[in-house]
Amino acid sequence: MVEAGRSPNIEIISNADLLALDGKPGKFTATVQVRPRYIDAEACTACGLCTKYCPRHLVDSYNEGLAITRPIHIDYPQAVPATYYIDPSACLFLQHGTCQICVPVCRSRAIDFSQKPTDRKLAVGAVIMAPGFGRVPEEALTKYGYGKHQDVVTSIEFERLLNPSGPFKGEVRCISDQRHPHKIAFIQCVGSRDLGCDNGYCSSVCCMYAIKEAMVAKEHDPECEITIYYMDMRTQGKEFDAAQKRAEEHFGIKFVRAKVADVTPWDKGLKLTYATMDGSHGFTGYDMVVLSVGLDAPTDASKLANIGGFDLNSYDFCKTTTFAPLESSNPGVYVAGAFQGPKDIPESVTQASAVAGIATGMLRNQRGKGVILKSYPAENVAEGEVPRIGVWICHCGINISGVVDVPKVTDYAGEMADVVYFSDSLYSCSQDAQETIKEKIKEHKLNRVVIAACSPRTHEPLFQETLKDAGLNRSLFEMVNIRDHCSWVHANEPEAATRKSMDLVRMGVAKARHIKPLPEQTVPVTKSALIIGGGVAGMTAALTLADQGFPCTVVERQDKLGGQLQQMLYTLPGDDVPTFLKNLIDKVKKNKLIEVLTSAELVSTEGFVGNFASVVKVTRGKDIVEHTIDHGVILVATGGRPHTPEKVLGQELPKSDRIVTQQALEAQLAGKGKNRAPGSVVMIQCAGSRGDDLAYCSKTCCNEAVKNALKIKEINPAAQVIVLYREMRTYGYAEDAYRQAREQGVLFVPYTMDNKPLFSDKGKGVKVSYHDPILREDVELAPELLVLSVGLVPESTEELSKMLKIPVTADKFFLEAHVKLRPVELPVAGIFLAGLAHAPKPLDEIIVQAQAAAAKAAIPLVRGKVEVEPIVSHVDQDTCIGCGICVSLCPFQAIQMHKIDNKRKAETIAASCKACGICAAHCPTFAISMGGFTNEQINAQIHAFGLIEE
Amino acid sequence: MAQAQDKKTGAVMVVGGGVAGVQTALDLTELGFYVYLVEKSAAVGGAMAQLDKTFPTNDCSL
């Protein structure tokens, strides 16, 4: 968010509505109306005085109505843009022409009641719709007593209760009487899988967030009893099952499979009545009931669709297709995030990168023409000069000066040696303060700057930018955090907080004396990609990169392209997969920027981001040819395949042609045979998955089972189809197909791991027996076919993991750099990931992930260079004894050994270094130093801590 | 800002400033385009800004 706020190439137009969109792909004109904030955004310093004085109350919608704010406010302190605004519906002046108390209160004279709505015309090449999701209908909540009983809350309200900035400062309390709840129940599928409120789909995220909220609540209060009432726990995502297991085993959270009938008052609390799977009823008392609300379409979906000229699906989400999941029906208008269908954060982030990739592919000839490139004055060389330090102490409005005696700290700083300029500052981060800092740097020839304010995590880049503008190297900066470390944590001890601030400033100045300018390094990039794997992920990525104008080589182990998709013949929504695949392969083969190497294998890869060199072995009949390829990035799309379990549900698999996998059934059903749809079928879900043979859920098998069950019913409506399952995980719109299958007579019978179905084939056909919880008796059947849903495993990731030094999970899938924020990147810079090698997932998600990985991979290629953070490790070649400890410890493959005069020496590859410091901490001869954190600097800081400055 | 000298325009509009919109905007600039990020409410962040901690890293969502 802050990054978006700071980018010179993103203009945030907030408080604004899209009114019209005209034109065609590549050349649209959008009309946007900006509503008045009644506050001049340039002048507002976000000090918060106006909110303190505003006499009117307003229900705080950011805190889900659980707290009170004022009509003039900011939603939360870190909001971007950090400008207050006035809610006109509650402001006394805007409603009744009175008050205006805020106007004289504001020291920056930012309040401007004369503002009017303004229209803006924007010339844009493409439009991306990411309006998010809306709220489920009220009736979905009221049927569980929401609105009637205060202690029935939504999961979003509960999220606010858990939050330290929430209504009770992070304490979970009942709304009714503020007591701490001892028993909490979660009700799943509120407003989802519910035709009563026209939301037939599954919202896909609620099971997982309920588990998260329950675990966090348990951390707040380990004594609290939490029960989750559910229909199916849909934890189909990567590592999600493991989280549920942890919730159950480690946190003691109870999971009860039951449908909740109602919630009524009982004694001081609430009574929850429910019906379990076997038809019996029960009730339990709770202090608080949390409704796990689903994600609905945005309320203004149809308005947006009208303006944007695109279609919605039957649930008012944006309509897209399996093969082009992010393209709306109007060319040039794309969609990402929950508006495309309910989804979680990693998938939204993945879609965001993907949509950026495809939209810019369409506009590639315009790349760079609209952007603003910043230039900086030449740097004054400061090395060797006597330190001339400038110190600023920030009030942060009243955030710091409300506790810390800022003038005293400022005067103290002024007495220190080498400090030639010192000052306090009301808001050192404000725009005018940056101008002052620049002026003073020049006026006093400052060559080191120390700012004592908030956290470097959020503000260091801003100040470093100011240094660069003033012609100083950005490393000549030291930040001291006297807000988070002093005024916030020692709010009740102002004197001690002031002393601590003085100590910290003294230490900062001591370090500043020793800081040195660090070189800004850039490394050129070979503008091409190597894609490992020629399945749908690899091919989609290749085409996305080619659309961006970059060449790539696709390495496929098999003798033809297509991978696992060759085995898929139709999808759940009924798409024709073979035709799609044929067209995809044709497009890849015809594209001049894509080189395809089949029957090829990666032998070795050397180098680092921007500069890889790989050897690929290609087999052509009896000949083996080795190609050496130079490339800037790597995209791993090695795919997966159906698992071949040795045992299913603890039973040996009998040799039988009557026992097949879903894939084999699909091939049979897609054929031409007259009797291709068997008259009776039993399907067993999780055959070898979820703790049976594989530990995890393969995400796709439930959909595949429903897909094939419907196909059988389509060909042979009289067929008997029974699906034995643990939890049907037909998330998203697949829930509709699951419902349709039940309507068509497909029988879904749950089993548990304590009561597994049994099967056998002694040469006279298959026999299956299972317990039916509704009939409450054991059933024995002799179906024509027993179909196993076997799950997916990754294709040989271990070898590649060693070669590229990229980590795999316990389940042997590759582990992404950050599950939420960097879902298609691997920890090694310049290596990206898509498809089944990441985790099992359906076709549309693979396509999006491949587009996202390609878009991310294109970023260094677009830049043409990789910028290296100045803080990297550096090996002193004279002191290095070549022991190689650092090489073995480096998690980023950023240190290599080389020989100088026949002696082994370590050397850092600056482009790959992430400055973690592990190497420096372990070097036995102290040969490694970290720029910006040298031993000299840290020692000076430690000494200063114990010293009182003379 | 971008002027439409040629046929196409080197700027992109993103409607919605939640996690998807903001990430899209950031990636668009990285790929060499100017972005207008149009948000209905007074600040970007969307629903993610309301979340306490996120699975599995417990990172703050801001």
Side-chain angles (χ1 to χ4, degrees):
Chain A
M1 258 162 51
V2 180
E3 217 179 309
R6 205 164 35 221
S7 170
N9 289 309
I10 300 177
E11 184 185 345
I12 298 178
I13 308 177
S14 59
N15 228 18
D17 302 299
L18 178 64
L19 292 188
L21 183 70
D22 305 298
K24 55 178 189 187
K27 210 168 167 54
F28 287 107
T29 305
T31 313
V32 171
Q33 184 173 67
V34 186
R35 279 171 270 124
R37 297 178 93 95
Y38 303 107
I39 288 176
D40 179 356
E42 297 285 309
C44 175
T45 58
C47 71
L49 265 185
C50 52
T51 305
K52 284 207 164 62
Y53 279 87
C54 179
R56 193 86 194 270
H57 286 106
L58 176 71
V59 171
D60 182 1
S61 57
Y62 172 71
N63 269 316
E64 291 294 312
L66 299 176
I68 297 289
T69 180
R70 309 282 166 156
I72 185 163
H73 69 281
I74 191 163
D75 285 345
Y76 49 100
Q78 305 94 322
V80 175
T83 306
Y84 279 56
Y85 67 101
I86 297 176
D87 184 336
S89 69
C91 171
L92 286 171
F93 176 71
L94 293 166
Q95 289 297 318
H96 309 290
T98 59
C99 186
Q100 291 207 69
I101 196 165
C102 49
V103 178
V105 163
C106 180
R107 291 190 198 165
S108 349
R109 299 178 192 281
I111 292 160
D112 177 7
F113 281 113
S114 70
Q115 285 184 0
K116 294 274 177 295
T118 48
D119 282 4
R120 288 188 55 184
K121 300 257 183 217
L122 310 175
V124 292
V127 177
I128 291 152
M129 290 288 170
F133 56 87
R135 295 178 178 230
V136 300
E138 198 67 19
E139 63 258 33
L141 309 177
T142 49
K143 73 175 178 189
Y144 297 115
Y146 181 82
K148 216 153 103 194
H149 315 303
Q150 281 187 302
D151 296 330
V152 179
V153 299
T154 68
S155 47
I156 307 175
E157 290 166 354
F158 194 68
E159 186 86 41
R160 294 309 305 159
L161 287 175
L162 293 172
N163 195 304
S165 74
F168 300 124
K169 298 198 178 345
E171 273 187 66
V172 179
R173 289 173 179 273
C174 290
I175 313 287
S176 58
D177 58 1
Q178 319 246 302
R179 70 182 191 277
H180 289 276
H182 296 298
K183 288 182 82 180
I184 303 177
F186 280 76
I187 303 177
Q188 298 305 107
C189 301
V190 177
S192 307
R193 303 178 70 184
D194 181 0
L195 288 179
C197 65
D198 290 328
N199 285 356
Y201 57 87
C202 158
S203 291
S204 311
V205 300
C206 327
C207 285
M208 198 53 208
Y209 79 56
I211 292 173
K212 179 204 77 172
E213 288 186 2
M215 289 199 287
V216 177
K218 272 288 210 185
E219 279 171 3
H220 283 231
D221 178 10
E223 300 300 307
C224 184
E225 283 175 40
I226 302 182
T227 310
I228 297 179
Y229 290 89
Y230 70 97
M231 290 201 271
D232 297 278
M233 277 319 278
R234 291 193 170 163
T235 46
Q236 63 274 349
K238 189 175 182 177
E239 312 268 314
F240 285 10
D241 262 349
Q244 190 194 344
K245 211 171 159 194
R246 201 166 65 240
E248 215 166 350
E249 290 168 5
H250 180 71
F251 286 95
I253 292 160
K254 273 193 283 187
F255 290 83
V256 176
R257 188 176 214 157
K259 192 90 178 106
V260 176
D262 60 10
V263 180
T264 49
W266 190 44
D267 197 10
K268 273 186 189 160
L270 297 160
K271 183 172 80 175
L272 190 139
T273 315
Y274 57 89
T276 52
M277 289 296 281
D278 58 5
S280 61
H281 293 247
F283 65 87
T284 313
Y286 289 97
D287 296 309
M288 185 181 253
V289 171
V290 182
L291 307 180
S292 293
V293 291
L295 311 186
D296 211 323
T299 39
D300 54 353
S302 46
K303 197 179 118 200
L304 278 177
N306 266 332
I307 295 168
F310 56 86
D311 298 335
L312 299 176
N313 69 15
S314 59
Y315 294 121
D316 274 0
F317 288 90
C318 185
K319 188 176 179 178
T320 61
T321 64
T322 309
F323 303 134
L326 305 180
E327 291 171 35
S328 82
S329 58
N330 187 7
V333 178
Y334 305 91
V335 60
F339 187 39
Q340 192 258 355
K343 63 179 55 64
D344 60 7
I345 296 169
E347 267 190 62
S348 294
V349 171
T350 305
Q351 289 203 336
S353 297
V355 83
I358 52 179
T360 54
M362 191 253 298
L363 301 170
R364 70 171 172 279
N365 294 330
Q366 300 310 115
R367 178 187 295 138
K369 293 191 180 163
V371 292
I372 298 157
L373 294 172
K374 244 193 122 174
S375 59
Y376 301 97
E379 279 178 14
N380 302 322
V381 183
E383 204 152 5
E385 281 178 32
V386 182
R388 296 178 62 82
I389 305 174
V391 183
W392 275 266
I393 316 285
C394 184
H395 290 255
C396 195
I398 51 164
N399 250 315
I400 293 171
S401 59
V403 177
V404 172
D405 186 345
V406 171
K408 191 173 171 187
V409 180
T410 311
D411 290 342
Y412 179 66
E415 293 163 12
M416 292 175 200
D418 303 323
V419 173
V420 293
Y421 179 83
F422 61 99
S423 169
D424 59 343
S425 172
L426 185 59
Y427 282 102
S428 58
C429 59
S430 67
Q431 208 46 53
D432 55 320
Q434 304 317 300
E435 293 306 317
T436 317
I437 295 171
K438 267 187 258 178
E439 267 169 42
K440 297 296 173 195
I441 289 174
K442 286 177 190 156
E443 189 184 324
H444 296 275
K445 295 194 169 56
L446 303 178
N447 56 20
R448 312 278 192 282
V449 174
V450 176
I451 293 180
C454 54
S455 167
R457 209 162 41 92
T458 53
H459 282 76
E460 190 172 48
L462 173 82
F463 295 123
Q464 289 185 327
E465 189 80 13
T466 308
L467 261 67
K468 279 163 82 177
D469 282 338
L472 275 187
N473 183 285
R474 64 173 160 140
S475 302
L476 294 167
F477 174 71
E478 179 64 20
M479 196 159 176
V480 178
N481 188 344
I482 57 168
R483 188 187 66 180
D484 307 26
H485 295 174
C486 296
S487 67
W488 278 2
V489 286
H490 308 300
N492 298 324
E493 299 165 273
E495 277 173 31
T498 303
R499 276 202 306 279
K500 184 173 169 187
S501 299
M502 287 156 78
D503 288 343
L504 289 174
V505 170
R506 186 174 70 243
M507 290 165 71
V509 170
K511 183 183 170 193
R513 290 193 189 105
H514 297 279
I515 52 182
K516 295 196 171 95
L518 297 173
E520 300 285 335
Q521 307 174 58
T522 57
V523 183
V525 165
T526 310
K527 292 191 174 190
S528 64
L530 179 76
I531 298 175
I532 312 168
V536 61
M539 287 191 287
T540 305
L543 286 170
T544 310
L545 276 166
D547 277 345
Q548 295 279 346
F550 298 112
C552 58
T553 306
V554 178
V555 178
E556 170 57 46
R557 192 179 285 195
Q558 285 186 359
D559 58 358
K560 59 180 175 186
L561 293 168
Q564 270 305 309
L565 202 61
Q566 295 168 90
Q567 268 71 52
M568 190 186 275
L569 304 163
Y570 48 88
T571 65
L572 189 53
D575 307 286
D576 174 2
V577 180
T579 309
F580 164 74
L581 184 60
K582 187 180 169 296
N583 292 342
L584 187 68
I585 293 173
D586 283 351
K587 267 200 259 177
V588 168
K589 283 185 175 165
K590 276 184 197 148
N591 197 306
K592 292 197 175 80
L593 289 172
I594 304 173
E595 181 191 17
V596 177
L597 298 175
T598 46
S599 305
E601 255 181 275
L602 184 67
V603 180
S604 68
T605 294
E606 281 179 0
F608 49 89
V609 56
N611 297 276
F612 289 108
S614 299
V615 178
V616 176
K617 186 177 76 182
V618 181
T619 314
R620 288 274 172 274
K622 284 178 187 163
D623 300 331
I624 292 175
V625 186
E626 285 202 345
H627 295 242
T628 303
I629 301 163
D630 288 330
H631 52 102
V633 290
I634 302 173
L635 207 146
V636 176
T638 44
R641 61 185 145 80
H643 180 48
T644 354
E646 286 180 2
K647 279 185 175 180
V648 167
L649 302 177
Q651 302 156 65
E652 297 285 346
L653 273 179
K655 280 206 167 40
S656 167
D657 56 0
R658 304 276 88 195
I659 302 178
V660 299
T661 60
Q662 290 287 0
Q663 287 78 10
L665 173 65
E666 180 170 334
Q668 182 181 331
L669 293 173
K672 296 251 185 305
K674 208 174 153 197
N675 297 322
R676 64 187 191 275
S680 61
V681 181
V682 173
M683 296 181 180
I684 297 182
Q685 298 304 102
C686 305
S689 291
R690 295 187 60 199
D692 191 22
D693 192 358
L694 304 174
Y696 53 90
C697 163
S698 286
K699 202 176 187 180
T700 58
C701 330
C702 284
N703 289 5
E704 295 296 296
V706 170
K707 172 179 102 173
N708 288 338
L710 282 170
K711 197 74 174 179
I712 293 171
K713 282 290 191 182
E714 180 192 316
I715 303 166
N716 180 4
Q720 184 195 42
V721 185
I722 296 171
V723 182
L724 304 178
Y725 72 99
R726 286 168 65 187
E727 261 139 341
M728 282 311 285
R729 292 181 166 174
T730 44
Y731 63 98
Y733 304 132
E735 182 68 15
D736 284 338
Y738 175 35
R739 189 180 319 105
Q740 198 191 337
R742 280 175 293 167
E743 282 162 8
Q744 293 185 8
V746 177
L747 211 57
F748 291 86
V749 183
Y751 72 87
T752 61
M753 290 307 269
D754 309 329
N755 205 346
K756 299 171 192 169
L758 302 172
F759 55 85
S760 63
D761 185 348
K762 293 183 179 134
K764 292 179 200 157
V766 203
K767 280 208 166 64
V768 183
S769 62
Y770 60 89
H771 178 76
D772 188 319
I774 295 178
L775 300 175
R776 296 194 204 183
E777 57 185 43
D778 293 334
V779 178
E780 197 173 301
L781 289 174
E784 276 180 44
L785 214 56
L786 174 64
V787 183
L788 302 177
S789 294
V790 288
L792 294 165
V793 287
E795 197 71 67
S796 58
T797 47
E798 280 186 334
E799 219 176 292
L800 200 59
S801 157
K802 279 185 200 136
M803 200 189 298
L804 301 176
K805 276 212 182 178
I806 46 181
V808 289
T809 64
D811 299 326
K812 306 280 183 268
F813 292 97
F814 287 119
L815 178 63
E816 57 272 37
H818 188 290
V819 175
K820 281 216 151 46
L821 303 176
R822 294 170 64 202
V824 295
E825 294 165 69
L826 286 161
V828 179
I831 309 185
F832 303 86
L833 173 67
L836 297 180
H838 160 263
K841 62 183 72 65
L843 178 56
D844 52 342
E845 289 174 30
I846 292 176
I847 291 173
V848 169
Q849 205 182 19
Q851 290 168 333
K856 284 289 189 191
I859 290 172
L861 307 184
V862 165
R863 285 201 193 134
K865 60 183 188 213
V866 184
E867 277 157 24
V868 183
E869 275 296 308
I871 298 177
V872 290
S873 90
H874 175 79
V875 186
D876 179 27
Q877 301 290 311
D878 293 337
T879 331
C880 175
I881 52 167
C883 66
I885 288 177
C886 51
V887 178
S888 64
L889 289 171
C890 177
F892 306 103
Q893 222 188 335
I895 305 186
Q896 283 180 348
M897 299 302 293
H898 62 154
K899 278 198 172 166
I900 295 179
D901 304 333
N902 259 341
K903 283 182 187 149
R904 274 160 51 89
K905 298 283 178 188
E907 194 176 29
T908 308
I909 304 158
S912 303
C913 178
K914 296 270 187 274
C916 66
I918 289 175
C919 54
H922 285 84
C923 177
T925 58
F926 302 105
I928 302 179
S929 67
M930 304 300 298
F933 294 92
T934 60
N935 288 342
E936 191 189 22
Q937 290 164 10
I938 293 169
N939 282 337
Q941 243 177 326
I942 296 169
H943 275 291
F945 172 66
L947 279 178
I948 298 297
E949 191 87 17
E950 277 128 47
Chain B
M1 62 150 274
Q3 297 300 322
Q5 311 124 338
D6 314 46
K7 261 171 62 194
K8 290 177 177 173
T9 310
V12 178
M13 175 171 71
V14 179
V15 180
V19 60
V22 170
Q23 185 64 48
T24 306
L26 289 171
D27 286 338
L28 285 167
T29 63
E30 298 264 30
L31 290 164
F33 288 79
Y34 192 87
V35 180
Y36 298 102
L37 182 58
V38 178
E39 164 62 34
K40 200 163 55 172
S41 65
V44 297
M48 187 160 168
Q50 286 186 310
L51 302 184
D52 177 28
K53 289 169 182 165
T54 57
F55 172 83
T57 48
N58 271 358
D59 281 342
C60 141
S61 55
L62 289 169

